[in-house]
Amino acid sequence: MKLKGTREASHADSWYDGDPDTLSSQLDTFLSRVPDTIDGSGLPIPGAKVVIAPHAGYSYSGPCAAWAYKCLDLSRAKRIFVLGPSHTYYLRGCALTKFAKYETPFGDLTVDEDVVQRLRDTGKFQDIPPQGDVDEHSLEMHLPYIYKRITQTFASEAEYPTIVPILVGDNNGAEEKEFGKLLAPYLKDPDNAWVVSSDFCHWGSRFSYTAYAPEGNVDQLQSLNRRALKPTNPPIHESIKLVDHLSMDAVASGNHDKFVDHLRHTKNTVCGRHPIGVTMAALEEMARENPEPGKYRFKFVQYQRSSLVEDVYDSSVSYASAYAIV
């Protein structure tokens, strides 16, 4: 299938600034606030070709995402895989774009047609409906950051990496492992980098998730109702933090089954749980083939929330950034 057309930057001027100069200045500011060293290493971290970063509007999650993007090592990248969840239509399995380019305020990013066709030829992938692709924000919100980091890494446009956008649908643990095994050779390829799009806990009645850990006991999670207006032991935002950090610990364990089991227990509303799960499964495949200390596991470097919830009528979304060395 020949890729055609350019996917418009549909969330520019709403979720982030559409003016390239203003947007560039904003991203530079976010990146400048990240320390120059993390985990004892200068940035970008050598070999950190895989990151998890949030995908909310930049006024909310842009500062957190900067931590992942400043860690991301693109020095050898010829293509960048971008994995995100589908918010605009129900998807089971995984799906590939039909567009040839993705627009950003800085310029277009070219889709790697050869890799997309090889993936399509496996028969395991669906096509993203063009309107669903345009409406979806989980991939688009990473593209200005990717473009910014590309221009900081490469001297000429001829060197700019292509992108491989993939939507990851509502798969069970076994299906995530199957896609992880299929994608592991691409993750192993030193020419490829990997961006995983996910926010963490979406808390509040509007998200149908009001889980609360009384006295900080996550094993006793309960859903708050309107009679429990403002619990204080702990405050709701501290309970959210406890659940999120357990989710982050499960991801950082490098054990895909542990992450799946954790989500089954807590029901934490990690919207990119399936892209994370597929990537963890791929990293586990690599770890089995060539176990090396310090590799193939995510390390979280930042955690933020849109607000600190105290009242059952409040809501918040959590953001986290992580990297993995491969």
Side-chain angles (χ1 to χ4, degrees):
M1 177 190 293
K2 183 73 175 175
L3 302 181
K4 297 179 181 179
T6 300
R7 180 206 176 274
E8 66 176 293
S10 59
H11 292 75
D13 292 315
S14 54
W15 289 48
Y16 58 92
D17 203 297
D19 178 77
D21 293 333
T22 304
L23 179 60
S24 181
S25 177
Q26 182 187 48
L27 296 185
D28 285 338
T29 298
F30 291 157
L31 290 164
S32 71
R33 293 172 181 167
V34 180
D36 292 329
T37 60
I38 290 178
D39 294 335
S41 174
L43 302 184
I45 294 173
K49 300 193 310 166
V50 187
V51 295
I52 297 171
H55 55 233
Y58 282 0
S59 62
Y60 293 101
S61 70
C64 182
W67 286 71
Y69 278 101
K70 199 162 181 178
C71 289
L72 180 62
D73 182 4
L74 295 177
S75 59
R76 296 183 60 182
K78 293 183 179 178
R79 65 194 60 82
I80 302 170
F81 285 68
V82 189
L83 278 65
S86 175
H87 296 86
T88 62
Y89 73 103
Y90 182 77
L91 171 65
R92 191 69 185 254
C94 293
L96 301 166
T97 189
K98 298 167 73 174
F99 287 107
K101 294 183 178 182
Y102 277 55
E103 180 190 29
T104 83
F106 303 133
D108 296 343
L109 291 167
T110 300
V111 176
D112 195 307
E113 187 161 5
D114 290 341
V115 171
V116 168
Q117 189 59 52
R118 287 205 299 272
L119 292 173
R120 188 170 276 123
D121 287 345
T122 66
K124 301 291 186 181
F125 292 83
Q126 303 174 42
D127 294 329
I128 305 174
Q131 191 57 52
D133 204 334
V134 171
D135 292 342
E136 180 57 57
H137 66 273
S138 73
L139 303 177
E140 178 183 343
M141 296 306 296
H142 292 279
L143 303 185
Y145 257 122
I146 287 172
Y147 205 105
K148 165 64 72 173
R149 290 288 293 109
I150 285 173
T151 61
Q152 292 176 340
T153 305
F154 299 99
S156 71
E157 288 189 21
E159 299 176 282
Y160 286 5
T162 54
I163 61 171
V164 182
I166 302 175
L167 284 185
V168 181
D170 184 16
N171 304 303
N172 61 34
E175 291 164 337
E176 288 178 359
K177 289 182 188 297
E178 181 180 351
F179 279 107
K181 190 171 185 177
L182 189 156
L183 291 171
Y186 295 94
L187 189 57
K188 184 178 181 180
D189 187 333
D191 290 340
N192 296 337
W194 213 266
V195 172
V196 183
S197 178
S198 184
D199 297 335
F200 273 68
C201 183
H202 299 61
W203 198 96
S205 57
R206 69 190 183 102
F207 300 118
S208 301
Y209 188 76
T210 56
Y212 177 75
E215 298 181 356
N217 187 348
V218 180
D219 290 331
Q220 301 296 323
L221 279 179
Q222 56 188 241
S223 293
L224 294 181
N225 56 40
R226 294 181 180 181
R227 289 191 295 272
L229 288 179
K230 196 172 182 178
T232 58
N233 185 23
I236 294 173
H237 61 82
E238 284 299 319
S239 174
I240 293 170
K241 183 178 179 180
L242 284 170
V243 174
D244 270 333
H245 277 268
L246 285 177
S247 299
M248 293 157 63
D249 289 346
V251 173
S253 74
N255 185 323
H256 173 253
D257 289 337
K258 183 174 181 179
F259 180 56
V260 172
D261 289 344
H262 159 79
L263 293 179
R264 186 180 296 117
H265 171 63
T266 64
K267 305 293 192 294
N268 194 9
T269 44
V270 180
C271 61
R273 57 194 178 277
H274 297 301
I276 292 173
V278 167
T279 305
M280 288 183 68
L283 289 169
E284 272 193 299
E285 284 287 324
M286 294 176 65
R288 276 193 289 270
E289 292 176 8
N290 186 29
E292 291 186 55
K295 283 190 169 186
Y296 314 124
R297 293 189 181 192
F298 283 108
K299 294 184 178 180
F300 282 87
V301 293
Q302 186 63 196
Y303 173 72
Q304 298 177 11
R305 283 157 289 177
S306 61
S307 64
L308 297 181
V309 174
E310 295 185 348
D311 189 290
V312 72
Y313 292 104
D314 294 339
S315 64
S316 73
V317 180
S318 304
Y319 314 118
S321 282
Y323 70 88
I325 296 173
V326 297

